[in-house]
């Protein structure tokens, strides 16, 4: 039989998952409580920037296999497998994750489930959440023990969401303890992911807490790797060494590897920062806080890079931003995304402005989101216009169009040829040859 799928929550994760599963041949119903968003999706209009996703969305809609709704009744009636893809942001003023969307989805859906089905959690949640949600299901779903929960964390990166969904590194399935339920869940997941499994993707079955922990520990490891190299960058700055050469040399040791060893302004986005904080908060609740105290350091190293960037720019301007013009290239938390959640680039831009600098920002995709997040900053409509009359230019998100910039062309626009490369993305020799005073994080 071919399962009918629902996807609850249509953010980066849910929209990509829904469109890709429809592309694989499943009938899929996407659900969100945000009516205008659902209307845009149903019209084939992606509400965020994600390379390669819009054609997949449109193919799904045209095939008739992909539809969208705001109705939980319709979803409950339609689905054999329900994927939970709602967000788990950081709570305001604390480290812990805000589970209100996950809880609302389950408490709304459960009372409507009156036939056998599988609920598959994909959202990133604190360990212990799946067990708690399974109890809510058991207590409130009319289908009783036939409404089964599995936990199947998602590892997709923004900018590569389609690729990561269709070709995952591994599939992790957290299954219930009861044997019959576990068999039902595993069978359904193997069927839903048969294309990936056929291509040899490792399939790892675990209990709920292990599956939940795989996701947060993966993100904790990645954050640690980035902060490790950025800590080395701090030492390099003190010792007049070059962290880009250091990183290159380390990367040839295949026990270390070069991925996520890129020194610069550090990590941001909707996942790594809030996930390591939620992980620390949860470990504290479990009495295991000592195990994760190093993540506090990882977070602090990361934040220090932003402060160092502001200090370096101020230093280049002779000690003050007052009355000085600063051109900022980049607002998204990383290239190929329009996401500005916890963006290092916007954070730096805002703090320079708070210190009296006249800041103009340009980003190829993130301008609408940046304007909402930081309305008091000025925005230009190109790299050249952001750099116009600048006393210093800061490269804060390494979009290809900034990497490929012609130093002499940018030189025409600025008041002074000072550039700080916050992502170690430019060739210092090329910029210096064109008369620029080139500075970067972690390099002499
Ligand atoms: C991350 C995880 O990679 C993904 O597996 C998880 O599902 C969600 O969180 P994402 O937030 O899309 O994905 O971004 P990612 O590509 O991991 O980059 C995170 C941040 O680290 C970015 O701000 C990026 O600029 C920064 N980064 C990355 C570095 O500073 N140096 C590096 O070497 C790599």
């Amino acid at each position: 039989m071919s399962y009918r799928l629902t996807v609850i929550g249509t953010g980066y994760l849910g929209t990509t998952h829904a469109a890709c599963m429809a592309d694989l041949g499943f009938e899929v119903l996407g659900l969100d409580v945000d009516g205008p968003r659902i209307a845009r999706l149903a019209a084939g209009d992606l509400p965020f920037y994600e390379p390669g996703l819009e054609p997949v969305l449109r193919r799904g809609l045209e095939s008739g296999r992909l539809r969208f709704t705001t109705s939980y009744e319709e979803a409950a009636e339609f689905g054999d497998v329900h994927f939970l893809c709602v967000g788990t942001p950081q709570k305001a003023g604390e480290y812990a994750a805000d589970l209100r969307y996950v809880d609302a989805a389950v408490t709304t859906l459960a009372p409507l489930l009156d036939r056998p089905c599988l609920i598959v959690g994909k959202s990133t949640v604190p360990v212990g959440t799946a067990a708690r949600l399974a109890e809510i299901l058991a207590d409130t779903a009319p289908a009783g023990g036939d409404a089964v929960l599995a936990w199947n964390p998602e590892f997709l990166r923004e900018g590569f969401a389609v690729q990561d969904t269709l070709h995952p590194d591994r599939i992790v399935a957290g299954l219930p303890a009861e044997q019959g339920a576990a068999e039902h869940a595993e069978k359904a997941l193997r069927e839903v992911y048969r294309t990936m499994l056929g291509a040899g993707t490792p399939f790892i079955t675990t209990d709920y807490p292990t599956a939940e922990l795989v996701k947060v520990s993966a993100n904790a490891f990645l954050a640690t790797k980035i902060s490790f190299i950025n800590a080395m960058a701090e030492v390099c700055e003190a010792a007049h060494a070059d962290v880009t050469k250091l990183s290159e040399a380390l990367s040839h040791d295949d026990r270390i590897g070069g991925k996520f060893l890129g020194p610069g302004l550090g990590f941001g986005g909707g996942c790594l920062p809030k996930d390591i904080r939620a992980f620390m908060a949860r470990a504290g609740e479990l009495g295991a806080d000592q195990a994760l105290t190093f993540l506090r350091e990882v977070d602090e190293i990361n934040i220090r890079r932003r402060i160092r960037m502001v200090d370096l720019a101020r230093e280049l301007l002779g000690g003050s931003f007052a009355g000085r013009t600063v051109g900022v290239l980049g607002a998204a938390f990383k290239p190929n995304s329009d996401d500005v959640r916890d963006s290092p680039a916007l954070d730096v831009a805002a703090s320079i402005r708070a210190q009296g600098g006249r800041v103009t920002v340009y980003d190829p995709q993130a301008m609408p989101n940046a304007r909402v997040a930081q309305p008091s900053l000025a925005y230009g409509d190109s790299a050249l216009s952001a750099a116009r009359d600048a006393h210093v230019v800061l490269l804060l998100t390494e979009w290809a169009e900034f990497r490929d910039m012609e130093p002499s062309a940018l030189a025409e626009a600025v008041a002074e040829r000072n550039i700080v490369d916050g992502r170690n993305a430019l060739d210092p020799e090329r910029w210096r040859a064109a008369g620029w005073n080139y500075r970067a994080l972690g390099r002499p």
Side-chain angles (χ1 to χ4, degrees), residues 242-251 263 442-443:
D242 184 339
V243 74
T244 62
K245 287 281 172 206
L246 178 79
S247 166
E248 184 192 341
L250 290 177
S251 74
R443 284 164 110 170

Side-chain angles (χ1 to χ4, degrees), residues 48-67:
F48 51 85
Y49 178 77
E50 178 60 46
L53 180 55
E54 201 162 79
V56 186
L57 170 71
R58 295 207 170 146
R59 267 204 304 276
L61 294 167
E62 280 157 20
S63 72
R65 286 193 301 274
L66 177 61
R67 292 182 302 114

Side-chain angles (χ1 to χ4, degrees), residues 76 96 173 180 259:
K259 291 179 183 164

Side-chain angles (χ1 to χ4, degrees), residues 154-158 215 219 222 226 260-262 266-268 271-272 333-334 423:
E154 179 56 56
F155 304 97
L156 70 79
R157 297 161 297 168
E158 289 174 26
K215 174 59 193 269
N219 278 353
L222 295 172
I226 297 169
F260 276 69
L261 207 61
F267 59 83
C271 294
L272 299 191
F333 83 102
K334 67 171 186 180
R423 293 295 181 176

Side-chain angles (χ1 to χ4, degrees), residues 25-229:
F26 291 97
E27 279 190 64
V28 183
L29 182 63
L31 179 146
D32 205 291
V33 293
D34 180 343
R37 189 177 187 91
I38 284 296
R40 281 187 70 173
L41 286 167
D45 175 16
L46 203 57
F48 51 85
Y49 178 77
E50 178 60 46
L53 180 55
E54 201 162 79
V56 186
L57 170 71
R58 295 207 170 146
R59 267 204 304 276
L61 294 167
E62 280 157 20
S63 72
R65 286 193 301 274
L66 177 61
R67 292 182 302 114
F68 290 93
T69 186
T70 55
S71 160
Y72 271 96
E73 286 77 9
E74 191 184 348
E77 150 73 25
F78 177 85
D80 304 303
V81 179
H82 303 279
F83 289 98
L84 266 186
C85 297
V86 296
T88 51
Q90 188 175 340
K91 274 188 189 165
E94 15 176 336
Y95 271 16
D98 184 346
L99 294 176
R100 78 175 84 172
Y101 305 111
V102 172
D103 288 349
V106 173
T107 53
T108 312
L109 182 67
L112 304 168
L113 299 172
D114 54 11
R115 62 185 171 87
C117 60
L118 179 68
I119 295 90
V120 182
K122 291 187 89 61
S123 306
T124 302
V125 292
V127 57
T129 304
R132 185 172 62 75
L133 298 176
E135 273 178 34
I136 298 178
L137 268 178
D139 291 346
T140 57
D146 287 337
V148 173
L149 180 74
W151 213 263
N152 167 225
E154 179 56 56
F155 304 97
L156 70 79
R157 297 161 297 168
E158 289 174 26
F160 300 90
V162 173
Q163 155 79 17
D164 287 353
T165 301
L166 293 175
H167 308 281
D169 296 330
R170 71 297 210 187
I171 295 170
V172 176
L175 303 174
E178 200 270 306
Q179 200 189 344
E183 280 167 10
H184 166 72
E186 180 170 347
K187 180 170 167 277
L189 283 170
R190 284 188 179 275
E191 171 57 22
V192 163
Y193 292 128
R194 63 172 184 265
T195 306
M196 292 78 157
L197 297 176
T201 306
F203 185 79
I204 298 148
T205 57
T206 72
D207 49 24
Y208 290 151
T210 307
E212 293 167 312
L213 282 173
V214 172
K215 174 59 193 269
V216 281
S217 55
N219 278 353
F221 187 84
L222 295 172
T224 303
K225 206 171 171 194
I226 297 169
S227 277
F228 174 83
I229 199 65

Side-chain angles (χ1 to χ4, degrees), residues 414-430:
V414 297
E416 285 172 32
R417 295 183 193 184
N418 288 314
I419 186 154
V420 189
D421 180 358
R423 293 295 181 176
N424 285 304
L426 305 174
D427 175 2
E429 314 226 317
R430 204 165 146 242

